[in-house]
Amino acid sequence: VAEWIERQQSRNKFYYYHQQFRRVPDLSECVEGDHLCYFEAEAQWRRDRMVDQEIMGIVRERLSACQYREGPNHLQNCAKEMEQLLQVTKAYQDKYGDLGVHGNSRTCLMKQKHMMMEERKAQENA
């Protein structure tokens, strides 16, 4: 019986860590009242946010490894990693900052819209 189970499992291998989701339309592309599209856009936004958090964590780990490796000379030798962390952190803060724990795709979209309006207003005044 155990051999039969092993044969069945070897035929149907499931690699859960390679799961790929198709890209869905953004919330701004959804038709009004299409709740399924809203739900898919929200799920896509949550996945993108988790990916961005992981990217920040990886860059932060690289910087701390460089600091540990270089010791007292880390200010000179880890400048590239420090700059990369600053860029990634700024991009994350621009996109997701001030949304709080209960942030969602709609509030993120509104935040980006208000940022664009402020930039246009600043360009007109300059």
Side-chain angles (χ1 to χ4, degrees):
V1 175
E3 293 174 4
W4 182 81
I5 292 173
E6 288 177 7
R7 278 197 315 260
Q8 294 299 320
Q9 288 178 344
S10 67
R11 275 192 232 158
N12 302 323
K13 289 194 178 204
F14 178 69
Y15 299 103
Y16 63 91
Y17 50 88
H18 286 294
Q19 185 176 11
Q20 294 181 351
F21 297 96
R22 65 180 177 86
R23 295 296 296 187
V24 296
D26 193 35
L27 187 65
S28 62
E29 299 169 8
C30 290
V31 178
E32 188 175 342
D34 188 1
H35 297 289
L36 181 60
C37 185
Y38 294 163
F39 177 78
E40 288 179 340
E42 182 70 29
Q44 181 71 53
W45 181 83
R46 289 181 193 275
R47 285 191 298 270
D48 289 344
R49 186 175 182 179
M50 286 193 307
V51 168
D52 290 342
Q53 287 172 347
E54 286 296 320
I55 289 171
M56 280 185 49
I58 290 169
V59 172
R60 196 176 296 122
E61 285 176 9
R62 286 181 184 169
L63 176 63
S64 65
C66 181
Q67 288 173 340
Y68 180 75
R69 181 179 61 242
E70 298 297 332
N73 298 331
H74 73 276
L75 294 175
Q76 297 169 342
N77 299 338
C78 299
K80 183 181 79 170
E81 286 84 358
M82 181 69 78
E83 182 63 32
Q84 188 177 21
L85 179 64
L86 289 174
Q87 289 175 352
V88 168
T89 305
K90 184 180 181 327
Y92 183 85
Q93 185 66 25
D94 287 346
K95 189 169 184 181
Y96 302 110
D98 300 329
L99 292 180
V101 178
H102 301 292
N104 58 19
S105 60
R106 187 175 303 261
T107 56
C108 184
L109 184 65
M110 290 300 116
K111 178 185 176 193
Q112 291 172 359
K113 180 187 81 162
H114 292 303
M115 260 183 16
M116 286 175 44
M117 289 171 58
E118 289 174 6
E119 288 175 2
R120 285 185 186 170
K121 192 180 230 182
Q123 286 177 354
E124 289 174 1
N125 291 340

